[in-house]
Amino acid sequence: DTAVSQTPKYLVTQMGNDKSIKCEQNLGHDTMYWYKQDSKKFLKIMFSYNNKELIINETVPNRFSPKSPDKAHLNLHINSLELGDSAVYFCASSQGPKRGETQYFGPGTRLLVL
Amino acid sequence: EDQVTQSPEALRLQEGESSSLNCSYTVSGLRGLFWYRQDPGKGPEFLFTLYSAGEEKEKERLKATLTKKESFLHITAPKPEDSATYLCAVQGSGNTGKLIFGQGTTLQVKP
């Protein structure tokens, strides 16, 4: 049983296109996150939702828009894709945003913008 | 500003050769320090959470320790299957759960 799943696993697209990445967790967690991992494997937080409420919104271009239809799902929509958006995007979830809650990560979506 | 620095960036060991990975951090109000393992092409896999200086946790050949400024991940008698990138992250004050990650240490264990 997959705890945190993401689709698609790979995404190859042209500059200027709009794309979405979907994330689902079956752990019953209240909080979900989006991270970006660059070519140097550096993981950086982008967004977080707790009970469908946005609680983290880092310095990310407006072209990136997260949406949480319910507690188990967090999607990431990217408009007007740029070369620099190429990276691996990870979804994660935790019981809550409080002290020391472990975050569990999905398998990642590898985005390549040509 | 919260910051995490891991060293070394890469480490090559012979099977059975014990060593330690370092994670130095500066954070306002540590709420937790996390160690993850990441295999190529996969998502980070949770290993340990440490909450306060002096705390230690063990799992098989891995032992994580924490001081007020740094954490160590000790690997005893490593095997080739321990080869992976090990990530350290801290959670500071605030109720957002935000994790600040280091750049990772890529470990290669040769048979």
Side-chain angles (χ1 to χ4, degrees), chain A residues 37 42 58 90 97 100 103 110, chain B residues 36 38 41 51 91 95 97:
Chain A
Q37 188 171 47
F42 186 63
E58 292 292 294
F90 287 100
Q103 295 182 22
R110 286 143 191 84
Chain B
Y36 286 85
Q38 186 174 23
Y51 295 103
Q91 181 185 13
N95 290 319

Side-chain angles (χ1 to χ4, degrees), chain B residues 6-79:
Chain B
Q6 292 186 245
S7 62
E9 190 171 321
L11 181 62
R12 289 184 179 182
L13 298 174
Q14 287 296 130
E15 185 172 0
E17 180 186 1
S18 302
S19 188
S20 295
L21 281 55
N22 177 264
C23 171
S24 296
Y25 65 91
T26 53
V27 64
S28 55
L30 180 70
R31 290 195 166 211
L33 184 140
F34 301 81
W35 281 99
Y36 286 85
R37 167 189 172 133
Q38 186 174 23
D39 292 302
K42 296 193 175 181
E45 176 187 347
F46 171 72
L47 293 174
F48 304 107
T49 307
L50 302 168
Y51 295 103
S52 56
E55 191 175 358
E56 299 182 353
K57 287 193 178 175
E58 286 187 69
K59 179 181 179 181
E60 296 180 352
R61 295 177 293 281
L62 300 177
K63 179 180 178 180
T65 62
L66 181 64
T67 73
K68 288 187 178 180
K69 293 184 178 181
E70 56 190 357
S71 176
F72 291 94
L73 184 65
H74 306 278
I75 305 176
T76 302
K79 298 182 177 181

